[in-house]
Amino acid sequence: MERGTNSRASIGPPYEVFLNFQGSDTRHEFTDFLYHGMVDAGIHVFRDSESLHVGNKIGDELLQAIEQSKIYIPIFSRKYASSRWCLRELAHMFESTLRSNENKEILPIFLNVEPLDVKLRTNLYREALSRHQEKFATEVESWENALNEVGEMKGWNWKKGESQVHLLRSVIQTVLAKLNAGCKKNVTEDLVGVDDRVEAIIRLLDVESNGVQFLGIYGMGGVGKTTLAKIVFNQLSSHFQCCNFLSDVRESSERHGLVYLQEKLLSKFLDSGCVNQIHDVDDGINMIKRLLCNRKVLIVLDDVDEKKQLKSLAGKGNWFGYGSRIIITTRDQSVLMIEGEATSEGLATKPANVSTYEVEEMKFDHALKLFSRHAFRRDSPLENYISLSEDMVSTLGKLPLALEVTGSSLSGKSEAFWADTLKKLEKAPPMEIQKTLKITYERLDDAQRQIFLDIACFFVGKDKTYPFYMWDDCEYCPHNAIEVLSLMSLIKIKDDDTFWMHDQVRDLGREIVRQENLKDPCERSRVWNHEEAWSILKGKEGSTKIKALSLGHREGILTGDEVANLQKLRFFHGESVSLAGDFNRLFPSLTWLSCRDFSLEFEAKNFHPTNLAVLDLSCSDISEERIDWIRAARKLKVLDLSHYNNLTRTPDLSTWVFLERLILRRCSQLIEIGPSIGKLQSLVELDLSWTSIDHLPDSIGNLKQLKVLRLSRMGWMTKLSSAIGGLEKLKELDLSFTDISELPTMVSRLSNLQTLNLEECRMLKQLPELPPSLTCLRWTTETAIGSYESENHTTLPTSIDFLAFYFEKVQFLPQLSSSLRELQFRNLVTSRSLDFSNLKNLSVIRSRAKLHTIFSLGSEVLRMEFCIIRKLDALLQLEMERLRKLEMRLCDFLPEVLDLSHMKNLQEICLFVCKTLVEIRGLEELGALCSLLIEGCWSMERMSDLSSFTKLRKLIVRHCPKLRSVKGLNCLESLKELSIFNAGEFGVDTSNLNIEHSW
């Protein structure tokens, strides 16, 4: 059975592309060629059949295919509009795209028709819709709207008599590039001296050759192997059908095993149901070979430390399709000596198609620059620290991680302190990174050390919120400690509030714990190895030394006598583990108890965890009667019962007067919140999302400390209690995806409210007066903006700096606040031009609409994304004296010209994938310009003279194949960084220029 037909294969991921076409017009010609071309390229594409067109509604299978797909390709042909099914699918595709938060895209093909035909400006489609009017009057309006909107989108035009080969190739390459764009890896911006290394690795990979290539990137820990692999992965991913970057192979193998790694590898290529069919390593190997042998893939296996890992994930080249590339990063070069194919001389130890690249220490000047950035927040040392800095870099062995950590620890310190630190470093071998990093560890006080060791052993990659409560209960002053650890570069807090720690730093922490007792883990303060933890408990070998212990996911029962010796235990984590027996006077110091995914009944007796601060029973099936012991936890700060399947009503909450976070998310059987909720005077977060509650008790207004209230996707709730006006400290209110029909006027009393999420609240027709504290508003509406539907509308709060509107039909916009910094809107069609002349601080515009606006921006940075710009004289030809940086991504210039002459103080310009842009004018007026980046502007032909760019230091022009030669390039006396690739006739004679980096 073909992948992507109207019946799914038994194994395969969700669809990626949905083809929408008129069967009699194109099915057996163009559409057939496109379909098979995509299937051959490894794209999972849906092509329906006439048998699915039954009745007057789109069936479940078609709906599922549309909802699953990321890219929609409507093929507009001469008879397209005659098919009501084509039009229905198009309308649903358009709606799905609007709901996707820009995660889906429509790429139209105009096959022997013009966009004007599709936009109903001619009789070709207009007459077809007239014939539909009699039978399908209720649907025609949505069909017309979809045709008009999609007709405006950039796509491909083909006229009869032209070759279709180039068109097919262009469509397939574009789709592949877009599908792979989502797998980019995050890389720090603070990079020094990596360009030559990346170029050398790419040369070794030779992506143009057809054979399967393995590349091993090896070197000591912390030298930058993963960073290089991420950069290469990001640059090359568009060349492959499928890509996967498998991070932390060593860590995952230790914690979860090889089958988990195989599942993680295949998760990018299969849906979860099929991946879960792997029962053992041999199953996984067979599935990898069967599914990837015909695909051109790019796979990175990061931090491999054992041969069995490589043999289980990428044992031989014939597991993968022609042109595939497998990159392995490792500290141990011996793991790269994988078995090759049999030859006349026996079995090759290292196949000919395995290349290696050693990541050596940095060049001294690069190392000094990196060290200086962390020690002095600049590219070079202060004058009186030059000698000390050079000695420090030499002693540290020019290792990036050691430079970053030590440099951060010395920032702002005296010369005497630097000298003492250098003496310490000189006593430890500079290549022993653990000892180097331990010097920084020794600067921590006891509380900071305890938190550092906890993170290293248990919380890398975990959310920071809950650990803070445990550390606070231990009087470790976590806010201060985390700041210190961050400043010393021992940890980082990522954007999603999770802890990040370099593996060398993590290993340092774990080694410190191991050194507490090298032979007996019972005598260590922390046990993170799940097998050791289970062995200790089942052997009744626990001791008062153990403070924290994790069993991981291990189904079983622990009895009271097995944990009797853990008198000092403050942290216990176990998934699918239950407690049974007499627990009288046990766990007296327990502060954190995490028993997620209970599938067994809780049989513990006399269990009184009076010192608990954090309790996590999420994803459990215990009956409500079995959790009465929670009442004993009177000091509880966090109670997480999310996904608790048996909870129908909240118990009496009045005893938990210290509770700060109550998480009941996805308790699908929960129908009632009792009035005792009002007794939780310390509560700061309440999450009731995805529950079946239809109203909130009036006592909710008594929660005077509540800052976050999440009510998203509560399908039964249609009205919000006016008591909400009593939540005087509320900062975030999420009502998204509910059927709320109106907001109480008391919302205006929420004097601290900053974020209000009304996304997909389609029953909400108008807004009351909003509090002046509001800074972020999201709202989806289907009709004119209620109280704003006349010209005498009320203005939004002047404090708003982020606004996202998702419209269906809108006549007027409210008066926008002059404080607005970021604006998003979709499907905006108004009766007049938009007046944004008061938006002096606007710096980010994200739009799926046509801009016909009046601007007068006063911000220093302007970033525009997905904008269709029609009248440049109203947008960019106003005087913008303060503007320093202009960034335009994926914008369409219908006039095809960008004139920058009125932005005389611009210092940075970034134009990325502005495909319709033909000419840039006014560059000669930009004497302050320091950086010019133009990439993916495929239609651009001309730009003005560059000879006035006396300050230009960075020039990047890539993938602009139509660009003609430009005057003044040999006058760029300050140019230091240059990259020109696929740029037509554009070129620079660098013989008289002092270029530092060129690629």
Side-chain angles (χ1 to χ4, degrees):
M1 183 179 294
E2 286 181 310
R3 178 176 53 214
T5 58
N6 59 306
S7 296
R8 294 303 310 275
S10 60
I11 295 180
Y15 296 113
E16 297 170 314
V17 175
F18 185 95
L19 294 182
N20 166 248
F21 60 95
Q22 208 282 338
S24 63
D25 237 1
T26 69
R27 178 183 294 276
H28 301 298
E29 295 179 0
F30 178 84
T31 300
D32 199 49
F33 298 144
L34 179 60
Y35 169 80
H36 287 288
M38 286 187 172
V39 170
D40 291 343
I43 299 169
H44 294 267
V45 56
F46 184 93
R47 177 183 63 171
D48 68 345
S49 69
E50 295 298 330
S51 63
L52 296 178
H53 295 167
V54 179
N56 290 322
K57 292 185 178 180
I58 297 179
D60 291 342
E61 191 166 357
L62 275 174
L63 279 175
Q64 183 181 12
I66 293 174
E67 290 299 327
Q68 284 180 346
S69 300
K70 300 175 183 177
I71 294 175
Y72 305 120
I73 301 182
I75 302 171
F76 295 116
S77 58
R78 304 293 293 180
K79 297 180 182 179
Y80 179 95
S82 67
S83 168
R84 67 182 187 276
W85 287 101
C86 285
L87 297 170
R88 281 179 182 143
E89 290 173 3
L90 183 71
H92 199 83
M93 287 154 48
F94 181 65
E95 289 294 321
S96 182
T97 305
L98 293 181
R99 296 193 305 268
S100 72
N101 196 25
E102 300 178 356
N103 291 321
K104 299 187 177 187
E105 188 172 3
I106 298 176
L107 302 175
I109 298 175
F110 302 95
L111 203 66
N112 203 26
V113 299
E114 295 295 329
L116 288 177
D117 298 323
V118 177
K119 291 185 290 184
L120 306 177
R121 309 291 169 80
T122 69
N123 289 332
L124 183 62
Y125 282 18
R126 196 161 53 200
E127 289 178 356
L129 261 70
S130 297
R131 291 192 292 271
H132 290 309
Q133 186 69 39
E134 181 177 349
K135 289 186 177 181
F136 311 107
T138 58
E139 296 182 81
V140 168
E141 184 179 351
S142 66
W143 298 350
E144 290 177 345
N145 181 52
L147 286 168
N148 272 295
E149 291 296 330
V150 178
E152 289 283 358
M153 296 179 182
K154 185 69 174 176
W156 294 270
N157 289 67
W158 178 86
K159 292 181 175 57
K160 190 173 183 179
E162 296 179 346
S163 170
Q164 294 183 349
V165 174
H166 297 298
L167 171 61
L168 291 167
R169 183 181 297 124
S170 176
V171 173
I172 293 170
Q173 288 178 348
T174 299
V175 169
L176 280 173
K178 289 181 179 294
L179 291 175
N180 285 330
C183 62
K184 302 290 187 183
K185 307 303 293 183
N186 291 324
V187 179
T188 177
E189 296 179 359
D190 202 12
L191 297 171
V192 177
V194 300
D195 296 336
D196 292 341
R197 301 181 183 207
V198 170
E199 184 178 349
I201 291 172
I202 291 177
R203 280 200 305 268
L204 287 171
L205 287 169
D206 189 16
V207 294
E208 298 302 323
S209 65
N210 288 327
V212 177
Q213 287 281 349
F214 285 72
L215 173 68
I217 302 176
Y218 69 95
M220 65 182 302
V223 78
K225 302 181 297 294
T226 300
T227 298
L228 287 172
K230 285 182 177 181
I231 297 171
V232 171
F233 182 85
N234 289 345
Q235 292 190 16
L236 298 183
S237 59
S238 62
H239 293 264
F240 298 85
Q241 295 171 2
C242 306
C243 306
N244 196 353
F245 192 108
L246 203 59
S247 302
D248 301 320
V249 169
R250 176 170 59 95
E251 172 77 359
S252 297
S253 178
E254 291 176 357
R255 283 180 172 268
H256 307 293
L258 295 174
V259 171
Y260 170 85
L261 283 168
Q262 292 173 325
E263 292 174 345
K264 196 173 179 182
L265 173 64
L266 288 171
S267 65
K268 290 287 186 179
F269 316 121
L270 286 171
D271 58 33
S272 58
C274 299
V275 169
N276 291 335
Q277 294 176 10
I278 300 176
H279 302 295
D280 55 37
V281 172
D282 288 338
D283 270 353
I285 290 174
N286 290 332
M287 189 172 286
I288 291 170
K289 291 194 290 187
R290 185 171 71 252
L291 293 167
L292 302 185
C293 64
N294 292 316
R295 300 193 192 186
K296 181 181 178 181
V297 299
L298 173 63
I299 294 173
V300 175
L301 306 177
D302 178 50
D303 195 15
V304 175
D305 73 334
E306 292 184 287
K307 289 184 179 180
K308 66 180 181 180
Q309 296 160 359
L310 191 54
K311 290 181 178 179
S312 301
L313 299 168
K316 294 182 180 180
N318 61 10
W319 292 14
F320 310 99
Y322 288 117
S324 293
R325 297 294 181 267
I326 315 300
I327 301 174
I328 305 113
T329 71
T330 182
R331 305 177 195 185
D332 183 0
Q333 190 182 1
S334 67
V335 305
L336 301 174
M337 301 301 166
I338 60 176
E339 293 179 352
E341 306 297 335
T343 67
S344 58
E345 299 177 358
L347 196 63
T349 305
K350 178 181 175 183
N353 61 347
V354 175
S355 304
T356 58
Y357 180 84
E358 181 180 6
V359 184
E360 299 177 340
E361 65 180 18
M362 302 177 71
K363 294 179 180 178
F364 187 86
D365 57 336
H366 289 157
L368 184 60
K369 184 176 182 179
L370 180 61
F371 177 80
S372 299
R373 287 186 176 180
H374 291 278
F376 307 105
R377 306 296 187 261
R378 48 184 274 177
D379 286 347
S380 59
L382 297 174
E383 186 172 351
N384 53 327
Y385 282 85
I386 291 176
S387 179
L388 275 171
S389 297
E390 291 176 345
D391 290 341
M392 199 75 69
V393 170
S394 297
T395 304
L396 290 170
K398 301 182 284 296
L399 191 71
L401 177 62
L403 295 168
E404 179 181 347
V405 172
T406 308
S408 298
S409 70
L410 294 172
S411 180
K413 298 299 188 292
S414 65
E415 290 184 55
F417 186 91
W418 275 58
D420 287 343
T421 301
L422 182 59
K423 289 179 181 178
K424 285 186 176 182
L425 287 173
E426 289 172 341
K427 293 179 181 179
M431 299 304 291
E432 296 183 13
I433 304 307
Q434 296 281 358
K435 293 183 180 180
T436 300
L437 294 175
K438 196 169 182 179
I439 294 172
T440 305
Y441 171 80
E442 289 172 351
R443 291 185 52 208
L444 304 175
D445 63 30
D446 182 65
Q448 293 161 0
R449 291 184 182 189
Q450 297 302 319
I451 289 178
F452 170 77
L453 295 177
D454 278 352
I455 296 173
C457 295
F458 303 108
F459 298 123
V460 175
K462 306 297 183 182
D463 189 275
K464 70 174 185 177
T465 306
Y466 293 0
F468 268 63
Y469 287 99
M470 178 178 67
W471 296 327
D472 190 62
D473 190 77
C474 296
E475 298 183 348
Y476 288 162
C477 302
H479 294 281
N480 172 267
I482 292 298
E483 182 178 1
V484 170
L485 294 176
S486 297
L487 289 173
M488 291 186 173
S489 296
L490 291 173
I491 66 166
K492 292 179 182 176
I493 306 296
K494 297 170 66 176
D495 290 341
D496 60 354
D497 278 342
T498 57
F499 289 113
W500 178 90
M501 183 179 281
H502 193 284
D503 57 1
Q504 283 294 321
V505 180
R506 179 201 61 209
D507 290 348
L508 165 71
R510 294 181 177 184
E511 182 61 23
I512 290 170
V513 174
R514 275 192 288 265
Q515 290 292 330
E516 294 171 357
N517 193 306
L518 291 174
K519 295 183 178 180
D520 189 1
C522 304
E523 297 299 313
R524 299 174 190 159
S525 61
R526 294 160 180 84
V527 184
W528 64 91
N529 182 284
H530 303 154
E531 294 299 326
E532 288 182 350
W534 188 256
S535 177
I536 288 171
L537 295 179
K538 284 301 175 181
K540 302 178 183 179
E541 298 173 346
S543 73
T544 56
K545 296 285 183 67
I546 300 176
K547 299 178 182 178
L549 179 146
S550 174
L551 290 171
H553 187 92
R554 183 81 177 248
E555 187 168 332
I557 297 175
L558 290 176
T559 61
D561 57 344
E562 290 172 341
V563 301
N565 294 328
L566 303 177
Q567 294 296 301
K568 298 294 184 181
L569 192 73
R570 56 176 169 84
F571 171 84
F572 178 87
H573 171 79
E575 296 182 21
S576 298
V577 176
S578 188
L579 306 180
D582 190 353
F583 275 69
N584 188 35
R585 297 185 179 180
L586 299 184
F587 286 157
S589 303
L590 196 64
T591 305
W592 178 318
L593 175 60
S594 177
C595 288
R596 303 178 74 250
D597 198 20
F598 265 147
S599 57
L600 304 171
E601 281 295 332
F602 193 88
E603 300 287 351
K605 299 176 181 178
N606 300 316
F607 186 44
H608 305 297
T610 55
N611 289 311
L612 268 189
V614 179
L615 177 59
D616 183 359
L617 296 178
S618 57
C619 303
S620 298
D621 290 321
I622 315 172
S623 59
E624 291 184 51
E625 312 88 71
R626 295 286 187 176
I627 58 172
D628 283 345
W629 54 269
I630 300 179
R631 300 181 191 280
R634 295 179 177 272
K635 297 180 181 179
L636 205 59
K637 300 287 185 68
V638 176
L639 177 57
D640 190 341
L641 298 177
S642 57
H643 295 263
Y644 198 94
N645 299 322
N646 291 322
L647 190 66
T648 58
R649 290 173 174 81
T650 55
D652 181 7
L653 306 171
S654 58
T655 58
W656 296 321
V657 294
F658 301 106
L659 194 67
E660 295 188 18
R661 298 183 187 274
L662 178 58
I663 313 299
L664 301 174
R665 179 181 178 85
R666 285 187 178 270
C667 293
S668 57
Q669 303 300 314
L670 184 62
I671 60 175
E672 181 180 347
I673 292 287
S676 62
I677 188 75
K679 301 291 187 180
L680 304 181
Q681 296 296 304
S682 300
L683 201 66
V684 297
E685 179 184 358
L686 175 60
D687 192 343
L688 302 174
S689 302
W690 297 84
T691 61
S692 299
I693 299 168
D694 60 5
H695 72 283
L696 298 178
D698 289 341
S699 60
I700 197 80
N702 297 331
L703 303 179
K704 302 303 181 184
Q705 301 300 317
L706 194 67
K707 296 180 180 179
V708 178
L709 178 59
R710 297 193 175 98
L711 308 174
S712 176
R713 298 183 185 271
M714 292 174 59
W716 296 100
M717 191 168 69
T718 59
K719 186 177 181 181
L720 193 62
S721 170
S722 60
I724 198 172
L727 305 179
E728 54 194 37
K729 292 192 176 181
L730 193 67
K731 292 184 176 181
E732 177 183 342
L733 176 58
D734 186 357
L735 296 167
S736 60
F737 295 89
T738 62
D739 289 333
I740 294 280
S741 57
E742 69 173 317
L743 291 179
T745 58
M746 300 295 284
V747 167
S748 63
R749 296 190 179 183
L750 301 177
S751 57
N752 288 294
L753 189 65
Q754 297 176 4
T755 300
L756 177 59
N757 191 347
L758 303 173
E759 190 172 354
E760 293 299 321
C761 292
R762 294 181 175 270
M763 304 302 292
L764 185 62
K765 307 302 182 185
Q766 64 180 19
L767 299 181
E769 181 182 353
L770 298 175
S773 58
L774 197 66
T775 60
C776 176
L777 172 64
R778 296 178 182 270
W779 184 22
T780 304
T781 182
E782 293 183 338
T783 61
I785 305 186
S787 60
Y788 305 127
E789 62 187 7
S790 70
E791 293 186 85
N792 297 319
H793 50 67
T794 306
T795 58
L796 291 171
T798 58
S799 55
I800 289 183
D801 62 22
F802 175 90
L803 181 63
F805 276 149
Y806 310 117
F807 301 111
E808 297 298 327
K809 305 169 187 175
V810 175
Q811 294 301 316
F812 300 98
L813 274 179
Q815 180 67 37
L816 300 180
S817 166
S818 60
S819 64
L820 199 64
R821 295 181 181 276
E822 182 168 349
L823 175 64
Q824 297 184 10
F825 48 86
R826 282 202 306 256
N827 201 26
L828 177 62
V829 180
T830 64
S831 57
R832 62 187 62 186
S833 297
L834 303 178
D835 186 354
F836 290 172
S837 59
N838 67 313
L839 304 184
K840 306 294 184 182
N841 297 303
L842 189 66
S843 60
V844 179
I845 305 171
R846 296 172 62 87
S847 169
R848 286 286 187 184
K850 307 174 189 68
L851 290 183
H852 184 174
T853 57
I854 301 171
F855 278 79
S856 179
L857 302 181
S859 58
E860 293 189 359
V861 178
L862 174 60
R863 186 166 79 244
M864 303 179 68
E865 300 181 8
F866 302 102
C867 295
I868 303 172
I869 303 166
R870 284 185 169 275
K871 290 193 175 182
L872 293 176
D873 58 336
L875 174 62
L876 296 176
Q877 293 204 359
L878 299 174
E879 293 292 341
M880 298 185 190
E881 295 182 356
R882 295 187 59 209
L883 195 63
R884 299 292 185 269
K885 181 176 181 179
L886 174 65
E887 183 175 333
M888 308 183 84
R889 294 178 175 267
L890 299 155
C891 294
D892 276 351
F893 293 80
L894 300 187
E896 302 180 342
V897 176
L898 174 61
D899 189 342
L900 302 175
S901 59
H902 295 274
M903 307 177 192
K904 293 183 172 56
N905 293 310
L906 269 181
Q907 296 177 3
E908 294 183 54
I909 298 174
C910 175
L911 303 176
F912 181 75
V913 194
C914 298
K915 295 182 180 179
T916 58
L917 183 62
V918 173
E919 181 178 359
I920 304 177
R921 296 176 184 167
L923 288 172
E924 66 277 5
E925 301 288 335
L926 310 182
L929 196 66
C930 298
S931 175
L932 176 61
L933 187 155
I934 305 171
E935 184 164 351
C937 298
W938 299 95
S939 301
M940 195 168 75
E941 300 175 6
R942 300 177 297 276
M943 67 171 68
S944 47
D945 193 326
L946 304 183
S947 57
S948 61
F949 287 179
T950 57
K951 297 182 180 180
L952 191 70
R953 296 179 57 84
K954 181 177 181 179
L955 176 61
I956 299 176
V957 182
R958 301 170 64 86
H959 300 296
C960 302
K962 295 184 180 180
L963 192 58
R964 302 172 188 173
S965 61
V966 178
K967 295 181 179 179
L969 290 173
N970 58 345
C971 301
L972 305 178
E973 58 190 38
S974 300
L975 195 64
K976 299 297 181 185
E977 188 173 347
L978 174 66
S979 177
I980 299 175
F981 179 77
N982 190 21
E985 300 174 1
F986 188 92
V988 179
D989 180 5
T990 61
S991 59
N992 64 331
L993 301 177
N994 186 24
I995 305 293
E996 291 181 355
H997 302 290
S998 179
W999 72 98

